[in-house]
Amino acid sequence: MIQEYAATLGVKVEVIRFALCLFAAFPISALYNFIPSNQIQIKHLYSIITSGIITCVVFSTSSFLQLAVQVLLIYYTNVFFAKYKFGPLLGFGIALAHMSWIHAEAQIWRENDPTFVDYSAMMMVLLIKMSSFSYCVHDGTRKESELDSYQKEYRIINMPSLIEFMGYSFFFNGYWVGPAIEFRHYQRFINQEGEYKNIPSTVGPMLKALVLGLVMIVLETVVGKHYHFALTTSEFFFEKTLFQKLLYINIAGLFVRAKFHSVWKISEASALVSGVGYAVTNGKERFDAAENVDVYAVEFAENPKMAMDGWNKYTANWLRRYVYVRVRQSWLKLPLTFFISAFWHGFYPGYYLSFLWSVPLMQAGRAVRKHLRPVFIQGTLAPYKKVYDAIGFFATLFSLNFLYMPFILRTMSSSFEIWKSMYFIGILLPIVVQVSLTTFGLGKFIRRAFIPLDKKTQ
């Protein structure tokens, strides 16, 4: 039925499936609020049953059963091996292997099979939950002096019951497209601990997120068909001048991202209906506890770090807390983190091209912040700080659109062909900036020249 409906509308069947799941989360979240606060077990069961039914109806019974088997396997892996150093790696590895199998089916073996039901997005969210849970349980067995502040806050000292763990795994808010919240976040919410004892009205923030999500759908649907990275493989693109090509990919990038913005904002809105999107930090109320994307931060970033910090925030936090921080070799931290990020998405060569080339982009961004930014803050060029910010905005926008174009195109050949038509400018510029400021010492020279001696900070 879903396939027939998708064919009638002329859209991909995956779009219909996830639209049904995303909007079903609103009544599910609303009904959850009627469960008595002391019926904790009922709350867990409610998540398991509602997510299970929708997965079976919209996707397939097989997909839900496979996810359930993995959840059981991860749970008992932590029961028996959490205290060992290899325990969290074992849990991480099991989830990663399962997800890789699903990606291989969706992207290689059965990519063109119309009967195949792709549920990899749910598995990607579940991987984050399973791996972070495994590390948090292991952190609960370690000495407090060995943990940082984040690990202390989210460590799990007492192993939860199986029903509680399954309730977390299949929690309806974020189950399909994220965000993948930490287990302790879920536990505080379900048990109504701390700020969750009295959740204020979330109608305003919910409507704001929902409207923004719907606006993004309209933009992507109406305008996105005219500006899309997929069109860069046609003669229409190659006939353009270099300036026109650069302008086109920057416009297209906005509407390509609009699709992701819309999905995450709608998911965020449903999380505000249940209240899990509410939080209090340092006595200040927040309604962004389930925010997976900060649209303003991404689209108006002044450097690559700001853009990446605002994009897919919960996944970025997972990569930082459970990959980057856990890698002991400093030289391996950044490359391995980007590699795992690409691997998390799947096996298309374009993913790896985008994420691995993010390494020199981030390094160039760090070099600029270290050597040039101080000149415009405490140096003699401070009056031109707005000019620096404007250049940073355009440079960041162009760099990200250039480097992440292969992520959408997916193939190595088409990506290189388009990059070549633009003289690899988006790759060469970050490398030139990095080498000039650090290797050749231009950064130190600029700081000496433009920062007064009494204001210098090394």
Side-chain angles (χ1 to χ4, degrees), residues 16 39 43 50 62 82 104 152 154 189-190 215 225 318 330 336 369 376 378 382 389 392-393 404 409 434-435:
I16 301 298
Q39 297 297 319
K43 292 181 180 181
T50 53
S62 173
K152 289 176 184 177
Y154 290 102
F189 171 69
I190 287 291
V215 168
K225 60 184 178 182
W318 167 68
S330 58
L336 184 60
R369 291 196 303 276
F376 291 90
Q378 60 191 58
D389 292 339
F393 163 71
Y404 283 101
L409 298 176
Q434 164 72 10
V435 172

Side-chain angles (χ1 to χ4, degrees), residues 117-307:
V117 178
D118 182 6
Y119 61 100
S120 56
M122 292 180 290
M123 183 61 244
M124 292 165 73
V125 177
L126 196 60
L127 168 66
I128 296 177
K129 286 186 173 182
M130 298 298 96
S131 55
S132 62
F133 178 85
S134 297
Y135 270 108
C136 288
V137 173
H138 176 68
D139 289 341
T141 68
R142 298 167 61 192
K143 295 179 181 178
E144 191 171 330
S145 59
E146 299 175 348
L147 309 176
D148 60 30
S149 58
Y150 188 90
Q151 292 165 352
K152 289 176 184 177
E153 181 179 358
Y154 290 102
R155 64 178 177 161
I156 302 168
I157 299 176
N158 299 313
M159 189 70 182
S161 67
L162 177 58
I163 190 71
E164 184 178 16
F165 179 65
M166 292 189 71
Y168 164 68
S169 303
F170 296 110
F171 182 50
F172 49 86
N173 283 142
Y175 170 65
W176 290 283
V177 296
I181 62 175
E182 295 276 10
F183 177 78
R184 283 291 297 132
H185 183 171
Y186 169 79
Q187 198 173 47
R188 288 198 299 267
F189 171 69
I190 287 291
N191 296 333
Q192 293 186 306
E193 300 173 8
E195 66 266 36
Y196 294 115
K197 290 180 180 178
N198 295 292
I199 301 176
S201 173
T202 58
V203 174
M206 181 276 291
L207 289 175
K208 181 180 177 181
L210 178 60
V211 169
L212 182 55
L214 295 175
V215 168
M216 289 295 167
I217 289 178
V218 173
L219 286 175
E220 197 274 333
T221 304
V222 177
V223 187
K225 60 184 178 182
H226 302 294
Y227 293 91
H228 197 282
F229 287 152
L231 297 176
T232 59
T233 60
S234 64
E235 287 300 319
F236 147 82
F237 181 78
F238 287 105
E239 290 173 353
K240 295 180 180 293
T241 65
L242 176 61
F243 176 78
Q244 290 173 328
K245 289 175 183 175
L246 296 176
L247 181 62
Y248 182 87
I249 67 169
N250 282 289
I251 296 174
L254 170 64
F255 297 110
V256 168
R257 288 189 296 276
K259 177 174 65 176
F260 297 95
H261 291 332
S262 65
V263 167
W264 285 328
K265 281 298 170 183
I266 292 171
S267 180
E268 177 188 339
S270 68
L272 284 166
V273 173
S274 68
V276 75
Y278 171 75
V280 175
T281 302
N282 297 325
K284 185 177 180 180
E285 289 188 331
R286 294 169 39 226
F287 295 91
D288 61 352
E291 182 183 71
N292 211 19
V293 63
D294 184 335
V295 177
Y296 183 86
V298 172
E299 301 302 337
F300 295 95
E302 295 170 4
N303 57 66
K305 184 180 184 301
M306 287 178 63

